[in-house]
Amino acid sequence: MTNAAREIIELNPKASQPITPMEMLNTALTRGADITVLEKLMALQERWEANQARKAFDAAIAEAKGEIGPIVRNAKGHNEKRYADFAAIAGTVDPVLTRHGLTYRFRTEQADRIQVTCILSHKDGHSETTTLAGPADKSGAKNDIQAIGSTLTYLQRYSLIQMLGLATSNDDDGRSSHPPQDAADLRAEGERIARENGFNALGLWWTKTITPAERKALGPETLNELKKIAEG
């Protein structure tokens, strides 16, 4: 706890419930606290709001993932393998994300490779990104513009799939399949959800957000450890 927070709590010795940084700030203003105390409390309020926004984001993702239904593989790619194009993915996920206050957009950069960043945002202000890059797809008889457009569409689709943790089995539109998320990154994500959002959010993340292959990679021992973290 910061010295500024202690000072405000001392001004409220009878308070029986935890108070927010904003309540501390209001008390400080009422008591005529100096500018140093006010600046520290404002910084504390900003960190508190960012933490609350991140918790809301994680909860929204877990709930939305539980509602996203199967995505129809409506197109054919290399070797006649069926895959879900971007319209099929968006048509399935967009209504669910909207219900939970989530939106996504893409940022594109191009140098020697084409880079696409998927930005997933929650209405409370927290956002996270996933970036993928690749060369222009010059397969077939594509001209330069078509080659760029093909890669952009591919990277948009896969960055959104990766961001939402959607299964991509049997999707061979690209030259290689999208790999599962690294086990160490998955564990770190699970620990954060368990620590910040508790047991229920952890359960939704484990059963609805990550894929069966990712659950297998983590294993039951990791799940038990995450449960202990969630239980405090």
Side-chain angles (χ1 to χ4, degrees), residues 38-218:
L38 296 179
E39 288 176 345
K40 290 180 178 179
L41 286 173
M42 290 175 66
L44 182 62
Q45 173 66 16
E46 290 177 357
R47 293 195 298 273
W48 184 84
E49 289 177 350
N51 187 51
Q52 294 300 109
R54 186 173 64 252
K55 289 181 179 180
F57 177 93
D58 288 341
I61 286 292
E63 292 171 1
K65 187 62 171 64
E67 296 179 17
I68 295 176
I71 299 175
V72 177
R73 295 184 176 90
N74 63 330
K76 286 186 178 181
H78 298 290
N79 300 320
E80 295 298 307
K81 294 293 184 66
R82 299 194 67 83
Y83 71 98
D85 64 14
F86 188 83
I89 296 171
T92 300
V93 305
D94 285 5
V96 179
L97 296 180
T98 298
R99 282 199 299 271
H100 292 281
L102 295 161
T103 59
Y104 61 86
R105 66 186 189 277
F106 299 99
R107 182 173 62 242
T108 303
E109 299 177 24
Q110 182 179 357
D112 57 327
R113 293 165 66 84
I114 299 167
Q115 179 174 291
V116 170
T117 298
C118 178
I119 306 167
L120 184 64
S121 304
H122 185 255
K123 63 182 180 180
D124 284 359
H126 185 74
S127 63
E128 295 188 0
T129 64
T130 291
T131 299
L132 297 176
D137 177 17
K138 296 183 179 180
S139 62
K142 298 182 182 72
N143 61 39
D144 289 344
I145 299 300
Q146 290 171 330
I148 293 171
S150 177
T151 297
L152 283 173
T153 300
Y154 182 81
L155 294 177
Q156 286 174 350
R157 188 170 78 252
Y158 270 87
S159 61
L160 180 58
I161 285 172
Q162 187 178 56
M163 175 63 74
L164 296 175
L166 301 177
T168 59
S169 59
N170 298 322
D171 186 339
D172 291 328
D173 176 48
R175 295 295 182 181
S176 62
S177 297
H178 169 64
Q181 190 173 347
D182 180 79
D185 292 339
L186 279 171
R187 182 186 176 91
E189 181 182 355
E191 289 178 354
R192 178 169 63 84
I193 291 173
R195 188 180 304 110
E196 297 177 358
N197 300 96
F199 193 83
N200 290 337
L202 173 64
L204 286 171
W205 175 79
W206 183 268
T207 59
K208 302 294 185 180
T209 301
I210 63 176
T211 66
E214 290 169 337
R215 287 195 291 272
K216 183 177 180 180
L218 289 174

